[in-house]
Amino acid sequence: MWLSARKQVLAPSYAWRMVSPLGLRDSATLDTLPDRYAQRSVPTEVSDAWASTGNLGGEGINMIWAERPAMSDFFFRDAVAPWIPSAAKTIFYNTRVPMTLLSYNTAGGRANAQERLAATFSGNINREAQVGAFLDYLYSKGCYADQAAKNLAWGFSGSYIGPRYQLQALFYHYNLLNKENGGITDSRYITDPELVQGGVSSIDAKSIPTRLTDAHSRFVGTKVVLNNRYNVGYWRTDEPQEGDTVERRTYVPVTSFIWTFDYTGGKHLFNNVAAATGEDEEPFFKNSYLYPGHTGDRTSYSSFKNTLGVQLMEGFHKYAKFGLAAYLSYAVNKYTQTPDTLTDRTGLTPLPEGFGGVSPEATEHLVSVGAQLTKERGSWLTYRATAELGITGRTAGDIRVDGSATTHIPVRKDTLDVSAFAAFHNTAAPYLMENYLSNHFVWRNDFGKQRRVTFGGAVDFARTGSRAEVQVDNVQNHLYFGPDFLPAQHGGSVQVLSVRLRQNLRAGILRWDNQITWQTTSDDHVIPLPALAVYSNLYLKFRVATLYVQLGVDCDYYTKYYAPRYQPATATFANQSEIKLGNYPFMNVYANLKLSKARFYVMMSHINQGWFSRDYFALPDYPMNPRRFQLGVSIDFAN
């Protein structure tokens, strides 16, 4: 009986993620394997080239171009996207036995403690309806001064998948509070501490002075999605199977009518009480437009979007080999910024010449139409293509076309998976990239539409642990932040070629997993990237009675490049061409174990601190976390 229940918890009847805008369902699995469990407690778990402020839960940007998402309408949350929930990451489960996963991770001592508590629950009301909930609380004091992060995210989900009516619903809320230290005042505290400390070589990371001492950012957001689908079709009587005398009827949907309600709300606050300076006595912020001695920026965003669609279903007839849908979307976006109510600007920076002013409140009404072609069934070929055209407002004339296809080729007793994808996006700049007002940064821009053509593919052979991916991008009118931390647009085209190879090797209990990403950009002043990023994991994998054991050492490494600078006032990353970072291996020694329903780990992260080099910076002025001990446990319950 225990084995049956256990199997249902770890391998539910089915699990999926909802795909906007029409609520298609992509299959998903619950990850309860101990492999790489320890690595989820270090910032580099996000990417093989994760440029961040260092602390778990802190801001960062993915320097693997093929993995970096496009800039969102509310660009502030892009910097903390890995630590907040999203509709795309929400997993729905349909299980006969309720499942509960509870995990707790901790690291460091009293001064630099890091703790994370996470819980996931899902249970079925009946065969067609289920509910779920999650909680994720992360508190990290940080290894350096004024770097603490306190993140809380929670939410609910539910679904009803009936023959006629279907509902997928989710709600989540997050509140992230991050201290902003502006980076350390002098990189030599890391690279050459004897020089700045009069010959003393050891230093407590918490004692290194930072450029900001009383500043913090807050990211708050809420998401509500209600995807409703009503199927119109007919009942089909299935022939009884051998030995079965019960007549079974199956509902065959022919046409679906779809309504999706999507609400997104977000706030970004930046507060700074003490305007710090560096050792050169230069102010951290060059300009102050609204407040002379402190900063209290507040920017908020809300979007109410309704999508109506109709779909001709795949498979209702033997000649209906694909599904075809059309839809209409209407969105109301609202922006609220810090108001400029000053009449006396004595002691403040004059507004930029020609600055026409930014309204503290703005509302957009955006209408778009789209179509979707899908083939979700079949063991040989599946595909999906979506095209959308903006009709009104700022996004009039926007074009988004995305397509992907996958085929499975039998090879002996295994399968070779081959996939291809392509996309063409011609999109307007986000509203806040053209209109922004705060204490330290103001801008008013009129950018042209960004054009991006992407295509590529992948070959995956599970039997040999091999995977190869290729992606080619051509980006025109690319938007980015320049060295002055202001938005800029490159009028020409930039090409990016990415190749990723993964090979997992094994010899008895010895395993060696490798992933190599090579990428090149035609203009590294516009899109700077490390040319090579490597993740390598060498370990022993075996069992001691019923105890699963994985002992090993892993390493993240990427070559030197002009890493972006981080601006805490806007939570953005700006290009620079003065400091190259990289060429540093970040290594962890770990033990992942699993016994019965519990998995746990012990790890010494950044074990190689100071061995090969002291230049362990992820961003200019932001060093990586020093060596420290970490441990965690995760338990899944069969209720």
Side-chain angles (χ1 to χ4, degrees), residues 475-492:
V475 186
Q476 185 179 4
N477 292 343
H478 177 61
L479 282 177
Y480 62 100
F481 285 87
D484 54 3
F485 298 105
L486 297 176
Q489 186 168 50
H490 178 66

Side-chain angles (χ1 to χ4, degrees), residues 39 537-540 550-554 588-592 602:
Q39 285 78 357
N537 187 11
L538 181 66
Y539 58 96
L540 300 175
Q550 183 188 27
L551 301 175
V553 55
D554 75 333
N588 310 291
V589 174
Y590 66 90
N592 289 321
V602 292

